[in-house]
Amino acid sequence: MNQWIYLITPFAAWLVAGCLKFAINSLRAGRPAFGLIGYGGLPSNHSAIVSSTAALIALREGLAHPAFGVAVTLAFITMLDANSLRRQIGRHAEALNKLRGDTEKPLRERMGHTRTEIAAGIATGCVVAWCAWKILG
């Protein structure tokens, strides 16, 4: 089972973050929030996935391992993208929807993440990695 830990952990992080996001959105909406599934929201799935991988490498291989450096670089790029580029795309969609009015199906405005959502994704990913490391080695 040890050889599968690097595949299982990011998948588990994605699943946990997605379930948390659905539960949080459902509580906020007061009903099951199936329409709010997708990009954006707390916690960030993308941040949870890349953070779980980086944390798992740190736990199993150590901070000095080259794979940890690669994982941190990938995580940093992913989180910058989620916070800047994808948030700007959401803002553009909002402006375009106002210009278009009700003539067409609106573009998805909920894109990208705030720093809090990214931090929650990092925390989720690290907790999942620690649990996987403890359970699967």
Side-chain angles (χ1 to χ4, degrees):
M1 189 62 129
N2 280 346
Q3 69 271 23
W4 292 98
I5 193 169
Y6 289 106
L7 180 64
I8 292 168
T9 302
F11 178 75
W14 169 79
L15 190 61
V16 169
C19 290
L20 284 172
K21 186 183 300 192
F22 178 75
I24 290 167
N25 286 337
S26 295
L27 286 172
R28 286 181 178 165
R31 59 180 172 74
F34 292 108
L36 297 175
I37 294 174
Y39 300 105
L42 183 128
S44 163
N45 286 65
H46 292 83
S47 298
I49 293 166
V50 294
S51 296
S52 72
T53 303
L56 183 62
I57 292 169
L59 291 166
R60 292 192 84 201
E61 313 297 338
L63 297 176
H65 197 278
F68 177 69
V70 173
V72 168
T73 302
L74 174 65
F76 188 66
I77 290 167
T78 302
M79 291 179 231
L80 279 176
D81 178 67
N83 185 249
S84 59
L85 178 65
R86 290 191 329 140
R87 285 191 39 97
Q88 291 301 322
I89 290 169
R91 289 182 181 135
H92 286 154
E94 185 179 350
L96 287 171
N97 286 338
K98 286 179 184 173
L99 288 173
R100 294 177 356 165
D102 293 334
T103 59
E104 298 178 45
K105 181 180 176 187
L107 299 170
R108 173 173 274 193
E109 296 176 7
R110 190 172 182 174
M111 300 285 288
H113 293 283
T114 65
R115 289 182 181 149
T116 302
E117 293 167 345
I118 290 170
I122 293 169
T124 302
C126 289
V127 168
V128 169
W130 184 83
C131 290
W133 177 63
K134 283 297 193 183
I135 295 168
L136 302 173

Coordinates of all heavy atoms in Angstrom, one line a residue, residues 61-120:
E61 N 10.0 12.1 2.9 CA 11.3 12.2 2.3 C 12.2 13.3 3.0 O 13.4 13.2 2.9 CB 11.2 12.6 0.8 CG 10.2 11.8 0.1 CD 10.5 10.3 0.0 OE1 11.7 9.9 0.2 OE2 9.6 9.5 -0.2
G62 N 11.5 14.2 3.7 CA 12.3 15.3 4.3 C 12.2 16.6 3.5 O 12.0 16.6 2.3
L63 N 12.5 17.7 4.2 CA 12.5 19.0 3.6 C 13.6 19.2 2.6 O 13.5 20.1 1.7 CB 12.5 20.1 4.7 CG 11.3 20.1 5.6 CD1 11.5 21.2 6.7 CD2 10.0 20.4 4.9
A64 N 14.7 18.5 2.7 CA 15.8 18.7 1.9 C 15.7 17.9 0.6 O 16.6 18.0 -0.3 CB 17.1 18.3 2.6
H65 N 14.7 17.1 0.4 CA 14.6 16.3 -0.8 C 14.2 17.1 -2.0 O 13.3 18.0 -1.8 CB 13.5 15.2 -0.5 CG 13.6 14.1 -1.5 ND1 13.0 14.2 -2.8 CD2 14.1 12.9 -1.5 CE1 13.2 13.1 -3.4 NE2 13.9 12.2 -2.7
P66 N 14.8 16.9 -3.1 CA 14.5 17.7 -4.3 C 13.0 17.7 -4.7 O 12.4 18.7 -5.2 CB 15.3 17.1 -5.4 CG 16.4 16.4 -4.7 CD 15.9 16.0 -3.4
A67 N 12.3 16.5 -4.5 CA 10.9 16.5 -4.8 C 10.1 17.4 -4.0 O 9.0 17.9 -4.4 CB 10.4 15.0 -4.6
F68 N 10.5 17.7 -2.7 CA 9.8 18.7 -1.9 C 9.9 20.1 -2.5 O 8.9 20.8 -2.6 CB 10.3 18.7 -0.5 CG 9.7 19.7 0.4 CD1 8.3 19.6 0.8 CD2 10.3 20.9 0.8 CE1 7.7 20.5 1.6 CE2 9.7 21.8 1.6 CZ 8.4 21.7 2.0
G69 N 11.1 20.4 -3.0 CA 11.2 21.7 -3.7 C 10.3 21.8 -4.9 O 9.7 22.9 -5.1
V70 N 10.2 20.8 -5.7 CA 9.4 20.8 -6.9 C 7.9 20.9 -6.4 O 7.1 21.7 -7.0 CB 9.6 19.5 -7.7 CG1 8.6 19.4 -8.8 CG2 11.0 19.5 -8.3
A71 N 7.5 20.2 -5.4 CA 6.1 20.2 -4.9 C 5.7 21.6 -4.4 O 4.6 22.1 -4.7 CB 5.9 19.1 -3.9
V72 N 6.7 22.2 -3.7 CA 6.4 23.6 -3.1 C 6.3 24.6 -4.3 O 5.4 25.5 -4.3 CB 7.5 24.0 -2.1 CG1 7.4 25.5 -1.8 CG2 7.4 23.2 -0.9
T73 N 7.1 24.4 -5.3 CA 7.0 25.3 -6.5 C 5.7 25.2 -7.2 O 5.0 26.2 -7.5 CB 8.2 25.0 -7.4 OG1 9.4 25.2 -6.7 CG2 8.2 25.9 -8.7
L74 N 5.3 23.9 -7.4 CA 4.0 23.7 -8.0 C 2.9 24.2 -7.2 O 1.9 24.9 -7.7 CB 3.8 22.2 -8.3 CG 2.4 21.8 -8.8 CD1 2.2 22.3 -10.2 CD2 2.3 20.2 -8.8
A75 N 2.9 24.0 -5.9 CA 1.9 24.6 -5.0 C 1.8 26.1 -5.0 O 0.7 26.7 -5.1 CB 2.2 24.1 -3.6
F76 N 3.0 26.7 -5.0 CA 3.0 28.2 -5.1 C 2.4 28.7 -6.3 O 1.6 29.6 -6.3 CB 4.5 28.6 -4.9 CG 4.7 30.1 -4.8 CD1 4.2 30.8 -3.6 CD2 5.3 30.9 -5.7 CE1 4.3 32.1 -3.5 CE2 5.4 32.2 -5.6 CZ 5.0 32.9 -4.5
I77 N 2.8 28.1 -7.5 CA 2.2 28.6 -8.8 C 0.7 28.4 -8.8 O -0.1 29.2 -9.2 CB 2.9 27.8 -9.9 CG1 4.3 28.3 -10.1 CG2 2.1 28.0 -11.2 CD1 5.1 27.4 -11.0
T78 N 0.2 27.2 -8.3 CA -1.2 26.9 -8.3 C -2.0 27.9 -7.4 O -3.0 28.4 -7.8 CB -1.4 25.5 -7.7 OG1 -0.7 24.6 -8.6 CG2 -2.9 25.1 -7.7
M79 N -1.4 28.3 -6.2 CA -2.1 29.2 -5.3 C -2.1 30.6 -5.9 O -3.1 31.3 -5.7 CB -1.5 29.1 -4.0 CG -1.8 27.8 -3.3 SD -1.1 27.7 -1.7 CE -0.3 26.1 -1.8
L80 N -1.0 31.0 -6.5 CA -0.9 32.4 -7.1 C -2.0 32.5 -8.2 O -2.7 33.5 -8.3 CB 0.4 32.6 -7.7 CG 1.5 33.1 -6.7 CD1 2.8 33.2 -7.4 CD2 1.1 34.4 -6.1
D81 N -2.1 31.4 -9.0 CA -3.1 31.4 -10.1 C -4.5 31.5 -9.5 O -5.3 32.2 -10.0 CB -2.9 30.1 -10.9 CG -4.0 30.0 -12.0 OD1 -3.9 30.8 -12.9 OD2 -4.8 29.1 -11.9
A82 N -4.8 30.7 -8.4 CA -6.1 30.7 -7.8 C -6.5 32.1 -7.3 O -7.6 32.5 -7.3 CB -6.2 29.7 -6.7
N83 N -5.5 32.8 -6.7 CA -5.7 34.0 -6.1 C -5.8 35.2 -7.0 O -6.5 36.2 -6.8 CB -4.7 34.3 -5.0 CG -5.0 35.6 -4.2 OD1 -4.3 36.5 -4.3 ND2 -6.1 35.6 -3.4
S84 N -5.0 35.1 -8.1 CA -4.9 36.3 -9.0 C -5.7 36.1 -10.3 O -6.7 36.7 -10.5 CB -3.5 36.7 -9.2 OG -2.8 35.6 -9.8
L85 N -5.2 35.2 -11.2 CA -5.7 35.1 -12.5 C -7.2 34.6 -12.5 O -8.0 35.3 -13.1 CB -4.9 34.1 -13.3 CG -5.4 33.8 -14.7 CD1 -5.3 35.0 -15.6 CD2 -4.6 32.7 -15.3
R86 N -7.5 33.6 -11.7 CA -8.8 33.1 -11.7 C -9.8 34.0 -11.1 O -11.0 34.1 -11.4 CB -8.9 31.7 -11.1 CG -8.2 30.7 -12.0 CD -8.4 29.2 -11.6 NE -8.6 29.0 -10.2 CZ -9.4 28.2 -9.7 NH1 -10.2 27.5 -10.4 NH2 -9.5 28.0 -8.4
R87 N -9.4 34.8 -10.1 CA -10.2 35.8 -9.5 C -10.6 36.9 -10.5 O -11.7 37.4 -10.5 CB -9.7 36.3 -8.2 CG -9.8 35.3 -7.1 CD -9.5 35.8 -5.7 NE -9.9 37.1 -5.3 CZ -11.0 37.4 -4.6 NH1 -11.8 36.4 -4.3 NH2 -11.4 38.6 -4.3
Q88 N -9.6 37.3 -11.3 CA -9.8 38.3 -12.3 C -10.8 37.8 -13.3 O -11.6 38.5 -13.8 CB -8.5 38.7 -12.9 CG -7.6 39.5 -12.0 CD -8.2 40.8 -11.5 OE1 -8.9 41.4 -12.2 NE2 -7.9 41.1 -10.3
I89 N -10.7 36.5 -13.7 CA -11.6 35.9 -14.7 C -13.0 36.0 -14.1 O -14.0 36.3 -14.8 CB -11.2 34.5 -15.0 CG1 -9.9 34.4 -15.8 CG2 -12.3 33.7 -15.7 CD1 -9.3 33.0 -15.9
G90 N -13.2 35.7 -12.8 CA -14.5 35.9 -12.2 C -15.0 37.3 -12.3 O -16.2 37.5 -12.5
R91 N -14.2 38.2 -12.0 CA -14.6 39.7 -12.1 C -15.0 40.1 -13.5 O -15.9 40.8 -13.7 CB -13.5 40.5 -11.5 CG -13.3 40.4 -10.0 CD -12.2 41.3 -9.5 NE -12.1 41.1 -8.1 CZ -10.9 41.0 -7.4 NH1 -9.8 41.1 -8.1 NH2 -10.9 40.8 -6.1
H92 N -14.2 39.6 -14.5 CA -14.6 39.8 -15.9 C -15.9 39.2 -16.2 O -16.7 39.9 -16.9 CB -13.5 39.3 -16.8 CG -12.2 40.1 -16.8 ND1 -11.0 39.6 -17.1 CD2 -12.0 41.4 -16.5 CE1 -10.1 40.5 -17.0 NE2 -10.7 41.6 -16.6
A93 N -16.2 38.0 -15.8 CA -17.5 37.4 -16.0 C -18.6 38.2 -15.4 O -19.7 38.3 -16.1 CB -17.5 36.0 -15.5
E94 N -18.4 38.7 -14.2 CA -19.4 39.5 -13.6 C -19.7 40.8 -14.4 O -20.9 41.1 -14.7 CB -18.9 40.0 -12.2 CG -19.9 40.7 -11.4 CD -19.4 41.1 -10.0 OE1 -18.3 40.6 -9.6 OE2 -20.1 41.9 -9.3
A95 N -18.7 41.5 -14.9 CA -18.8 42.6 -15.8 C -19.5 42.3 -17.1 O -20.4 43.0 -17.5 CB -17.5 43.3 -16.0
L96 N -19.1 41.2 -17.7 CA -19.8 40.8 -18.9 C -21.2 40.4 -18.7 O -22.1 40.7 -19.6 CB -19.0 39.6 -19.5 CG -17.7 39.9 -20.2 CD1 -16.9 38.6 -20.5 CD2 -17.8 40.8 -21.4
N97 N -21.5 39.8 -17.6 CA -22.9 39.4 -17.3 C -23.8 40.7 -17.2 O -24.9 40.7 -17.6 CB -23.0 38.6 -16.1 CG -22.6 37.1 -16.3 OD1 -22.6 36.7 -17.5 ND2 -22.2 36.5 -15.3
K98 N -23.2 41.7 -16.6 CA -24.0 43.0 -16.5 C -24.2 43.6 -17.8 O -25.3 44.2 -18.1 CB -23.2 44.0 -15.5 CG -23.3 43.6 -14.1 CD -22.5 44.5 -13.2 CE -22.6 44.0 -11.8 NZ -21.7 44.9 -10.9
L99 N -23.2 43.6 -18.7 CA -23.3 44.1 -20.0 C -24.3 43.4 -20.9 O -25.1 44.0 -21.6 CB -22.0 44.2 -20.7 CG -21.0 45.2 -20.2 CD1 -19.6 44.9 -20.9 CD2 -21.4 46.6 -20.5
R100 N -24.3 42.1 -20.8 CA -25.2 41.2 -21.6 C -26.6 41.2 -21.1 O -27.5 40.9 -21.9 CB -24.7 39.8 -21.6 CG -23.4 39.7 -22.3 CD -22.8 38.3 -22.3 NE -23.4 37.3 -21.6 CZ -23.2 36.0 -21.7 NH1 -22.3 35.6 -22.6 NH2 -23.8 35.1 -21.0
G101 N -26.9 41.5 -19.9 CA -28.2 41.4 -19.3 C -28.7 40.0 -19.3 O -28.0 39.0 -19.0
D102 N -30.0 39.8 -19.5 CA -30.6 38.5 -19.5 C -30.8 37.8 -20.8 O -31.6 36.9 -21.0 CB -32.0 38.6 -18.8 CG -31.9 39.0 -17.4 OD1 -30.9 38.7 -16.7 OD2 -32.9 39.6 -16.9
T103 N -30.0 38.3 -21.8 CA -30.2 37.7 -23.2 C -29.6 36.3 -23.3 O -30.0 35.6 -24.2 CB -29.5 38.7 -24.2 OG1 -28.1 38.8 -23.9 CG2 -30.1 40.0 -24.2
E104 N -28.6 36.0 -22.5 CA -27.9 34.7 -22.7 C -27.7 34.1 -21.3 O -27.9 34.7 -20.3 CB -26.6 34.8 -23.3 CG -26.6 35.4 -24.8 CD -25.2 35.5 -25.3 OE1 -24.4 34.6 -25.2 OE2 -25.0 36.6 -25.9
K105 N -27.3 32.8 -21.3 CA -27.0 32.1 -20.0 C -25.8 32.9 -19.4 O -24.8 33.1 -20.1 CB -26.6 30.7 -20.3 CG -26.3 29.9 -19.1 CD -25.9 28.4 -19.4 CE -25.5 27.7 -18.1 NZ -25.0 26.4 -18.4
P106 N -25.9 33.2 -18.2 CA -24.8 34.0 -17.6 C -23.5 33.2 -17.4 O -23.5 32.0 -17.3 CB -25.3 34.4 -16.2 CG -26.4 33.4 -15.9 CD -27.0 33.0 -17.2
L107 N -22.4 33.9 -17.5 CA -21.1 33.2 -17.3 C -20.9 33.0 -15.8 O -21.4 33.7 -15.0 CB -20.0 34.1 -17.8 CG -20.0 34.5 -19.3 CD1 -19.0 35.6 -19.6 CD2 -19.7 33.2 -20.1
R108 N -20.1 32.0 -15.5 CA -19.8 31.7 -14.1 C -19.0 32.8 -13.5 O -17.9 33.0 -14.0 CB -19.1 30.3 -13.9 CG -18.7 30.0 -12.5 CD -18.1 28.7 -12.4 NE -19.3 27.9 -12.2 CZ -19.3 26.6 -11.7 NH1 -18.2 26.0 -11.6 NH2 -20.4 26.0 -11.5
E109 N -19.4 33.4 -12.4 CA -18.7 34.5 -11.8 C -17.9 34.0 -10.6 O -16.9 34.7 -10.3 CB -19.7 35.6 -11.3 CG -20.5 36.2 -12.4 CD -21.5 37.2 -11.9 OE1 -21.6 37.5 -10.7 OE2 -22.3 37.7 -12.8
R110 N -18.2 32.9 -10.1 CA -17.5 32.4 -8.9 C -16.3 31.7 -9.3 O -16.3 30.5 -9.6 CB -18.4 31.6 -8.1 CG -17.8 31.2 -6.7 CD -18.9 30.5 -5.9 NE -18.3 30.3 -4.6 CZ -18.9 29.8 -3.6 NH1 -20.2 29.5 -3.7 NH2 -18.3 29.6 -2.4
M111 N -15.2 32.4 -9.4 CA -13.9 31.8 -9.9 C -12.8 32.2 -8.9 O -12.9 33.3 -8.4 CB -13.6 32.2 -11.3 CG -14.6 31.9 -12.4 SD -14.5 30.1 -12.8 CE -13.0 30.0 -13.7
G112 N -11.8 31.4 -8.7 CA -10.7 31.8 -7.9 C -11.0 31.8 -6.4 O -12.1 31.4 -6.0
H113 N -10.0 32.2 -5.7 CA -10.1 32.1 -4.2 C -9.5 33.3 -3.5 O -8.6 33.9 -4.0 CB -9.3 30.8 -3.7 CG -9.9 29.6 -4.2 ND1 -11.1 29.0 -3.6 CD2 -9.6 28.7 -5.2 CE1 -11.4 27.9 -4.2 NE2 -10.5 27.7 -5.1
T114 N -10.1 33.5 -2.3 CA -9.5 34.6 -1.4 C -8.3 33.9 -0.7 O -8.1 32.7 -0.7 CB -10.5 35.0 -0.4 OG1 -10.8 34.0 0.4 CG2 -11.8 35.6 -1.1
R115 N -7.5 34.7 0.0 CA -6.4 34.2 0.7 C -6.9 33.3 1.9 O -6.2 32.3 2.2 CB -5.6 35.3 1.3 CG -4.8 36.1 0.2 CD -3.9 37.2 0.8 NE -3.3 37.8 -0.3 CZ -2.9 39.1 -0.3 NH1 -3.2 39.8 0.7 NH2 -2.3 39.6 -1.4
T116 N -8.0 33.6 2.5 CA -8.6 32.7 3.5 C -9.0 31.4 3.0 O -8.7 30.3 3.6 CB -9.8 33.4 4.1 OG1 -9.4 34.7 4.7 CG2 -10.4 32.6 5.2
E117 N -9.6 31.3 1.8 CA -10.0 30.1 1.2 C -8.7 29.2 0.8 O -8.7 28.0 1.0 CB -10.8 30.3 -0.1 CG -12.2 31.0 0.2 CD -12.9 31.5 -1.0 OE1 -12.3 31.7 -2.1 OE2 -14.1 31.8 -0.9
I118 N -7.7 29.9 0.4 CA -6.4 29.2 0.0 C -5.8 28.7 1.3 O -5.3 27.5 1.4 CB -5.5 30.2 -0.7 CG1 -6.0 30.4 -2.1 CG2 -4.1 29.6 -0.8 CD1 -5.3 31.5 -2.9
A119 N -5.8 29.5 2.4 CA -5.2 29.0 3.6 C -6.0 27.8 4.2 O -5.4 26.9 4.7 CB -5.2 30.2 4.7
A120 N -7.3 27.8 4.0 CA -8.1 26.7 4.5 C -7.8 25.5 3.6 O -7.7 24.3 4.2 CB -9.6 27.0 4.4

